[in-house]
Amino acid sequence: MRFELQMALRFLKEGRMQTALILAGISTGVGVIIFLSALIGGLQESIIDRTLGTQAHVTLRPPEEEARPQLDRSGETILEHIQRPAQRLRSILGWPQLLADLRRRPEVTAASPTVAGSAFALRGTANRSVALRGVDPDSYSGILDLRTKLTDGTLDVTGTHIIVGVELAKELGLSVGDTLRLTAPEERSEVFTISGIFDVGNKDLNLRWVYISLREGQTLMNLSGGVSTVEVKVRDIFSAEKEAQEIHAATGLKADSWMILNSELLIGLRGQSSSSVMIQFFVIVAVMLGIASVLVVSVIQRGRQIGILRAFGTRRGQVLRIFLLQGGILGLVGSLGGIVLGTVLALFFQNLVSNQDGTPIFPVALTAALYARSLLVALITGLVGAWLPARRAANLDPAVAIRYE
Amino acid sequence: MNECSAVIQLHQVRKSYPGAVSSEVLHGIDIRIDQGEFVALVGPSGSGKSTLLNILGLLDRPSSGSVEILGRECTEMDDAGLTTLRGHSLGFVFQFHHLLPSFSAEENVFLPMLADAGHFKPEMRTRARDLLARIGLDGFETGPASQLSGGQQQRVAIARALVMNPALVLADEPTGNLDRASGQQVFEFMRRFNRELGTAFLLVTHDPALAARCDRILTLEDGSLVTQE
Ligand SMILES: Nc1ncnc2c1ncn2[C@@H]1O[C@H](COP(=O)(O)OP(=O)(O)OP(=O)(O)O)[C@@H](O)[C@H]1O
Ligand SMILES: [Mg+2]
């Protein structure tokens, strides 16, 4: 093999200009792949992060409970027909056992009971409609870590302590220690004390969400001892829908995954991914054709040399490997250049457009896996591109090759 | 019985190239070259000398007839078998030296050993340097082959043909592209290696003076051997 490697390197060195140009071509191709993947990967990651930052992966509700889009589970289309039964809030039966069962599922990382409903927040003469979220702070931290979202005060949602979003605080002129009256349907009402103010990065939610204790939520919503939803987080976010279906099948509960609730977003992301894959595919094909054409020319130019090598006992397989190796080496070396190029491009682009606080608008995802994949793809591309020229070289008739100039 | 001393034997070798008009280039050639012989092959242009040499060198197959090298029948061998036999038993010198330009003189010489073994061994260099010294090229071992003169390059090619210690070297007009003095020198070296190493040579030449100095002259005319002294 060392003989073949030596010959391959020598041939590449001999064809200086051709080698340099095709390496530049491969580097450009791989650079585009790295740049595109890093950009789209980073973009999707941040979109999903933002989407899932305030959402459970799977939300469980009692069967036939509230207005929700009807889904065609076999396909991915959402039927536009929406039911709106005017039912009162119902509880999930046997939810403590359900929680225990859920936590035993290997894919589930957190499960938390919540009571969700709407209410009015009154402060002096001002009032606002808000979404109450009665939570158990300990288990809820696995769904959304409110501690990291606090801008003021402490995370205290026990008793009559509540936390509100920054927008609502601004709107009603609230600060930590102030009191706020919450009035739920059927005139159930209570006065609460603000213990903290949060910012979950979403203006609408910062205005509407009010976190109270599970017990107070149950009281206000007239759901004594019950919970209206159980929120679940899973290990692999893209397994959420599968998990939701399994939980639904096992419990009969309505189980909505973030993937269904955000199916349009997902369709968009998927479209983005597939067009990126498409572009990468054509770049790879172009690179492969480039390698093939350079090596075909090399085989033609070196016909006599190959004939001589064959005359002196070089076997067909050796000739084949000499040219395959050239393709492989071109792919590998070119992809190293491409990794440098793609990384520089991606980082440059990331720095080019940034938010006012300096954080990038388009964070790029430059991962070791991306680099490894690019190297592997380039290596395979080189070998495949070299295949036909190598076959041609190996099958060269030495008598003919030596006879003609 | 002197069968055992034959390096190569051809029996009724015919060669025709496929084409619309069936064109037979060689018409039933019988040749036998013994170990240590130094044989000239002469004949007009187009008489089939190179074709015959390719068949003798296992670079081409006869259309019919048999080729036997060191007592081994080659007609039925596959390409891998022919390649190995060729690499171990035969050497080639061509009209154009056909050195690999980006390799040094000594690398060109030990290339057949490298291809055979698959990887470099220091004794390959030793062997190449020894041969180059014997052919009057000491001092040129590590320089690029492409910077040598025509005669020097042809001498490197002779060293390369001998590096595997073949039983027979086939030389197709090795002096055809050289001036008289260089050609003379190349011929002298081949004769000397023939004497010193006992390697058989078959030499195609258009130079009657050189042919006259060989042990034996084969004359090919229109695809048939006309004299066999
Ligand atoms: N690959 C081929 N296909 C068809 N015809 C061929 C082929 N090779 C050689 N010939 C023909 O075979 C005949 C003999 O050619 P060859 O090269 O053996 O002659 P030669 O004696 O070596 O001539 P020269 O002295 O010019 O080298 C020629 O008529 C040539 O045209
Ligand atoms: Mg000829």
Side-chain angles (χ1 to χ4, degrees):
Chain A
M1 198 62 173
R2 261 176 289 172
F3 161 70
E4 288 95 317
L5 186 63
Q6 224 170 330
M7 291 304 299
L9 288 172
R10 203 62 79 104
F11 280 167
L12 287 174
K13 216 169 94 185
E14 225 171 78
R16 242 172 268 133
M17 194 66 173
Q18 285 172 12
T19 304
L21 287 175
I22 190 64
L23 279 179
I26 298 165
S27 294
T28 308
V30 174
V32 165
I33 289 175
I34 298 262
F35 174 65
L36 208 62
S37 305
L39 190 67
I40 289 184
L43 201 60
Q44 299 203 344
E45 232 170 71
S46 79
I47 288 174
I48 289 173
D49 270 0
R50 233 172 290 165
T51 307
L52 291 183
T54 53
Q55 258 186 38
H57 295 163
V58 179
T59 305
L60 305 177
R61 294 186 176 82
E64 310 290 348
E65 169 251 333
E66 68 171 27
R68 55 183 286 269
Q70 295 300 293
L71 303 171
D72 176 2
R73 295 255 182 206
S74 58
E76 279 167 13
T77 52
I78 299 171
L79 301 178
E80 286 302 317
H81 171 66
I82 292 176
Q83 289 182 329
R84 208 174 278 283
Q87 300 177 348
R88 74 180 197 97
L89 207 52
R90 289 193 302 136
S91 173
I92 294 176
L93 298 174
W95 62 269
Q97 181 59 43
L98 173 68
L99 278 181
D101 291 346
L102 285 173
R103 285 169 185 154
R104 267 198 297 276
R105 298 181 73 88
E107 192 62 24
V108 170
T109 59
S112 179
T114 52
V115 175
S118 48
F120 280 101
L122 298 144
R123 164 105 171 141
T125 55
N127 78 68
R128 286 224 49 117
S129 141
V130 297
L132 286 188
R133 299 178 69 75
V135 295
D136 159 39
D138 285 344
S139 63
Y140 193 74
S141 67
I143 306 293
L144 174 58
D145 191 6
L146 286 171
R147 216 173 302 276
T148 63
K149 309 287 181 191
L150 284 184
T151 59
D152 198 9
T154 55
L155 178 62
D156 182 5
V157 281
T158 54
T160 57
H161 291 279
I162 62 170
I163 63 171
V164 298
V166 282
E167 294 297 329
L168 185 67
K170 210 193 296 169
E171 196 101 340
L172 297 181
L174 295 168
S175 51
V176 172
D178 288 352
T179 56
L180 180 69
R181 175 171 289 278
L182 294 173
T183 304
E186 298 168 34
E187 300 305 319
R188 282 180 303 280
S189 183
E190 183 82 59
V191 174
F192 294 90
T193 307
I194 314 285
S195 64
I197 293 174
F198 65 81
D199 178 3
V200 292
N202 179 317
K203 203 165 177 168
D204 185 49
L205 300 184
N206 286 342
L207 181 62
R208 301 202 323 108
W209 276 5
V210 172
Y211 282 101
I212 66 178
S213 73
L214 193 61
R215 178 170 292 279
E216 288 298 332
Q218 288 167 340
T219 308
L220 281 178
M221 290 298 135
N222 192 18
L223 207 65
S224 175
V227 301
S228 61
T229 57
V230 169
E231 302 193 0
V232 175
K233 280 235 155 159
V234 292
R235 224 169 287 281
D236 169 16
I237 56 170
F238 293 103
S239 73
E241 177 53 20
K242 185 172 156 281
E243 201 64 15
Q245 290 184 26
E246 285 179 18
I247 295 170
H248 170 73
T251 63
L253 294 170
K254 292 280 169 200
D256 291 322
S257 74
W258 72 275
M259 299 167 75
I260 293 294
L261 299 175
N262 299 277
S263 57
E264 258 167 61
L265 171 73
L266 272 183
I267 289 167
L269 293 183
R270 226 168 270 157
Q272 201 178 44
S273 294
S274 44
S275 48
S276 151
V277 165
M278 194 88 127
I279 293 170
Q280 293 183 29
F281 173 77
F282 285 114
V283 168
I284 289 169
V285 168
V287 166
M288 193 183 293
L289 292 177
I291 292 174
S293 67
V294 162
L295 289 180
V296 162
V297 170
S298 165
V299 169
I300 292 168
Q301 283 175 333
R302 289 180 176 72
R304 257 200 317 168
Q305 295 189 33
I306 295 163
I308 289 290
L309 287 171
R310 295 279 286 121
F312 283 106
T314 305
R315 292 176 289 279
R316 267 193 191 162
Q318 290 178 305
V319 174
L320 187 81
R321 287 195 289 276
I322 288 170
F323 281 87
L324 283 181
L325 273 172
Q326 290 184 63
I329 292 166
L330 286 174
L332 272 186
V333 175
S335 68
L336 289 179
I339 283 173
V340 173
L341 183 72
T343 304
V344 167
L345 266 180
L347 292 179
F348 175 74
F349 189 79
Q350 180 175 261
N351 291 335
L352 199 64
V353 279
S354 51
N355 295 314
Q356 275 160 341
D357 60 359
T359 58
I361 292 177
F362 297 114
V364 295
L366 290 163
T367 59
L370 175 59
Y371 291 144
R373 197 191 57 165
S374 305
L375 276 174
L376 191 69
V377 165
L379 175 65
I380 292 169
T381 304
L383 291 176
V384 173
W387 178 251
L388 280 181
R391 281 281 305 270
R392 188 182 169 139
N395 290 334
L396 219 58
D397 181 346
V400 174
I402 293 164
R403 183 193 303 269
Y404 301 107
E405 288 298 287
Chain B
M1 295 298 278
N2 51 1
E3 276 285 308
C4 56
S5 66
V7 175
I8 196 160
Q9 257 182 311
L10 260 55
H11 293 292
Q12 284 302 303
V13 161
R14 293 174 182 275
K15 177 71 183 178
S16 43
Y17 288 105
V21 188
S22 136
S23 50
E24 196 173 76
V25 179
L26 299 175
H27 319 290
I29 306 282
D30 290 297
I31 290 181
R32 175 197 162 115
I33 296 171
D34 286 336
Q35 273 167 19
E37 266 197 302
F38 199 95
V39 182
L41 177 61
V42 300
S45 187
S47 56
K49 304 184 294 296
S50 297
T51 305
L52 181 57
L53 231 62
N54 284 341
I55 290 172
L56 287 164
L58 306 178
L59 293 170
D60 207 350
R61 291 175 190 269
S63 306
S64 68
S66 71
V67 181
E68 221 174 84
I69 288 183
L70 297 169
R72 290 178 66 188
E73 170 61 53
C74 305
T75 330
E76 302 293 315
M77 282 190 187
D78 63 1
D79 185 78
L82 293 179
T83 302
T84 307
L85 189 57
R86 190 164 64 221
H88 288 168
S89 316
L90 300 173
F92 297 86
V93 181
F94 302 94
Q95 178 172 2
F96 301 95
H97 53 80
H98 289 342
L99 298 180
L100 305 196
S102 67
F103 287 70
S104 70
E106 64 179 23
E107 285 171 335
N108 265 288
V109 174
F110 67 65
L111 210 59
M113 297 179 85
L114 193 58
D116 184 51
H119 57 92
F120 178 76
K121 293 174 193 157
E123 56 261 38
M124 294 178 182
R125 193 183 303 277
T126 314
R127 168 111 179 111
R129 290 196 168 175
D130 174 50
L131 280 169
L132 285 173
R134 289 170 79 163
I135 207 159
L137 285 174
D138 31 20
F140 295 96
E141 296 92 340
T142 52
S146 52
Q147 282 174 15
L148 299 172
S149 76
Q152 287 171 328
Q153 293 193 4
Q154 199 59 297
R155 274 142 68 190
V156 174
I158 290 168
R160 177 177 62 184
L162 290 165
V163 79
M164 293 292 284
N165 221 347
L168 172 67
V169 170
L170 299 162
D172 197 349
E173 299 187 52
T175 62
N177 205 36
L178 301 176
D179 61 72
R180 204 162 178 84
S182 311
Q184 192 71 30
Q185 197 184 22
V186 161
F187 182 83
E188 296 304 338
F189 275 116
M190 289 195 284
R191 275 255 65 158
R192 212 167 92 195
F193 280 120
N194 167 248
R195 271 199 313 275
E196 291 175 4
L197 304 174
T199 312
F201 278 78
L202 178 63
L203 170 72
V204 174
T205 179
H206 284 289
D207 186 339
L210 292 184
R213 297 184 49 202
C214 297
D215 300 342
R216 191 150 67 96
I217 302 177
L218 301 174
T219 305
L220 198 57
E221 242 166 55
D222 244 348
S224 302
L225 283 177
V226 288
T227 46
Q228 194 157 6
E229 294 160 17

